[in-house]
Amino acid sequence: MSSSSLVSLSNSKSRFEAYNRLQAATVAFGEKLPIPEIVALGGQSDGKSSLLEALLGFRFNVREVEMGTRRPLILQMVHDATALEPRCRFQEEDSEEYGSPVVLPSAIADIIKSRTETLLKKTKSAVSSKPIVMRAEYAHCPNLTIIDTPGFVLKAKKGEPERTPEEILSMVKSLASPPHRILLFLQQSSVEWCSSLWLDAIRDIDPTFRRTIIVVSKFDNRLKEFSDRWEVDRYLSASGYLGDNTHPFFVALPKDRNTISNDEFRRQISQVDSEVLRHLRDGVKGGFDEEKFRPYIGFSCLREYLESELQKRYKEAAPATLALLEQRCSDVTSELDKMDSKIQATSDVSQLRRSAMLYAASISNHVATLIDGAADPAPEQWGKTTFEEQSESGIGGWPGVTADIMPPNATLRLYGGAAFERVMHEFHCAAYSIKCPPVSREKVANILLAHASRGGGRGVTEAAAEIARAAARSWLAPLLDTACDRLAFVLGNLFDLALERTRNRELECGRKSENMDGYIGFHAALRQAYTRFIKDLGKQCKQLVRHHLDSVTSPYSLVCYENDCQGGFGSSASSSFKFNQSSVNSFLLELSDATMKDQENIPPEKNAQQTTPGKAAEARDALRESQITVPETPSPDHPCAGGANKDLGNGIDMGGRKRLSRMTGNSRNPDNTSAQNGGSFFFGNADGLLRSGSAYTEICSSAAQHFARIREVLVERNVASALNSGFLTPCRDRLVLAIGLDLFAVNDERFMDMFIVPGAIDVLQNERQSLQKRQKILQSCLNEFKSVARAL
């Protein structure tokens, strides 16, 4: 062998060793490096296990444990001319170190089986993507690394979960998807291309087969079907199925599974290759196109191609790998420096206080910015729709509201001040969707009779107002509580957004803000302080809006009478106002819906008269005639006549008229005089009463208008400003102070509890040791790749 060939061979081996060591480091530390790798794929029983044994140069009964059905196996084959017997070592789980050499090849299968079962039992899963790494040094194996994957299956075996085939397919696709990996796909020769079960799965991963090597296994089973050259050439070309630039390899391996020596095993492999070629040359009429297809027939050709292809990929990837390693080494060194700073900071309380205060102030400032309006981080990812706010908060819909409340922008993902305003508008819609609930006659009677017994001149209006106040307290109070809870949820979400904004700013500036990452206890305390602050704001706001509700529903509030002073709510309010000029405490009120049987107090229909405000004399006559009866309050559903039958007053002493006249203050106002009419007792003159239909209906109508007025004043005047000043202003002005008092207004010992919990120093020291180990391995790999780069 020439000196140049020896140098090239030495460089190839150096590259291979460097990549093998780097691969071991990536497995141990979870690094994601684009190392060129070969991934073996195929269905179960398609010959992957036999191919791996042939590449290794010895058998270890790998098929007996079906290692490919549970965990991937990374086989690092190292050609070592001095290793006359295989030297196999397994990489320790979660470490870059390799264990002791396995003496007996048959023990390899037991180790693979044991490790697989242990991990699957621990993870409680059917398959796992965490690989087993085995390094094999042997004089008869190539410098080659192959990742053997679980074999595709159509149906789970007995005792396995039904989803095992889907999980295997998903895992294999995940392993094969990275573009730096070469796919080695095996398929039995007995399967036609057009009916291949797994070729479509490979095409999903690599549509053009640009990085796929296709191997037709068990090729000797197909040879007897060929009799003419055109049949062989057409099959070998696989035209119409794989494309013009894809050339599959055709491999046959020994079928004898008896115990034989390693030398005999390799001799049988060579013998099968020779027999396949001899059959194609002599057993087929016209032979085959050797110039075109000879490089793709036989195991020896596949082995040589795989080794050369991997070395070519190693050489092409070396510069990029070197640059990436330098970056990773720099990152690990930086992480190690920060870890040293953390450990040192545990003894520097003043510096730790300063860093923690600045970090808390930064979070508070970001919260204020989010309230004032911001689009960073991305609302599409961090915002929430109205439905998501309702479901994630656990609050649900608005109590007492049956209609679907869909405020504007309900489907948009919002946060911060925008989400706050949307909830306010949603509360506005919910409040205005509630109407004054129906009131039973018993409730009306209880309230009205109680007011009648106390005397005074505003009985009906007071009764309607009391009904409205009770309805407002009952129906609007839960809405106010829900609004406060929803708004507190919106503001509570801002903590995570503020953290994300802080991280983004750190990345933009290329630094870590005050080096607070990793202090889990401090971050937990900071989150707890923020949550407590928002929770306290929620309680305070509930008390504030409840105070406003109590104010507008107080008997001393003039909210219900504002429209009386301004001209009334309309005819019904005017009617109520007229009635309130009369006294009700001299009447026995009857509000039941039973038909009144006492015909003496029911004016006949034919004698019913209406008093007109323009006819004062007739009105006075009607007043005198009504005053000489002893009235009994009619049913609220029964129409009451404005005039009275003169015959009803015959024989009645006029003393009653004088007493009643004194009770009413002897008013000479025509409207007030007509209000004294017992027949029109409830709502002034008979004309208004006939239009209203009944006292009960009139009271309910008036109560509904009072309820609407209370709701309007509460929602429009009080609640909006109260919630804004109760939630948003403290978050802008007092958040940083509240958090500071909560976390930092303590002695040093209590302050350090957030940073030095029991065992925390040991955890930091262990992390530092792990980083040091990782740094050492990556630096070693970097030095090797620098040597490889100089030799290229």
Side-chain angles (χ1 to χ4, degrees), residues 357-375:
M357 288 179 178
L358 291 176
Y359 188 83
S362 174
I363 295 296
S364 300
N365 291 336
H366 284 307
V367 169
T369 302
L370 290 165
I371 289 175
D372 292 336

Side-chain angles (χ1 to χ4, degrees), residues 346 755-766:
T346 57
F755 299 90
I756 309 179
V757 296
I761 296 296
D762 294 338
V763 171
L764 292 176
Q765 291 289 359
N766 291 336

Side-chain angles (χ1 to χ4, degrees), residues 116 142 250 343 368 376 388 427 520 570 611 639:
T116 299
F250 301 89
I343 295 175
D376 174 32
E388 289 172 340
F427 163 73
I520 298 175
T611 57

Side-chain angles (χ1 to χ4, degrees), residues 39 41 176 181-185 202 205-206 211-214:
V39 181
L41 311 94
R181 287 180 170 168
I182 305 168
L183 310 186
L184 182 65
F185 173 61
I202 302 302
I205 303 170
D206 183 22
R211 55 187 181 94
T212 301
I213 302 170
I214 297 178

Side-chain angles (χ1 to χ4, degrees), residues 76-87:
Q76 295 178 337
M77 308 175 205
V78 180
H79 176 74
D80 185 351
T82 63
L84 300 180
E85 293 295 330
R87 293 197 298 263

Side-chain angles (χ1 to χ4, degrees), residues 1-10:
M1 186 178 293
S2 64
S3 58
S4 60
S5 298
L6 290 174
V7 170
S8 176
L9 183 62
S10 176

Side-chain angles (χ1 to χ4, degrees), residues 521-591:
F522 167 72
H523 281 281
L526 179 60
R527 181 183 293 272
Q528 187 177 8
Y530 179 82
T531 303
R532 186 161 46 245
F533 177 77
I534 298 298
K535 188 176 180 180
D536 290 342
L537 288 185
K539 291 181 179 178
Q540 295 168 12
C541 285
K542 284 184 179 181
Q543 294 174 355
L544 182 60
V545 294
R546 280 298 187 101
H547 171 73
H548 285 297
L549 178 61
D550 292 341
S551 296
V552 297
T553 57
S554 169
Y556 303 102
S557 173
L558 298 180
V559 169
C560 292
Y561 312 116
E562 288 182 0
N563 283 0
D564 285 349
C565 301
Q566 299 169 4
F569 289 105
S571 62
S572 62
S574 177
S575 177
S576 297
F577 178 75
K578 291 176 182 179
F579 166 75
N580 289 331
Q581 306 308 313
S582 65
S583 175
V584 299
N585 59 348
S586 61
F587 295 95
L588 176 62
L589 303 180
E590 174 59 60
L591 293 176

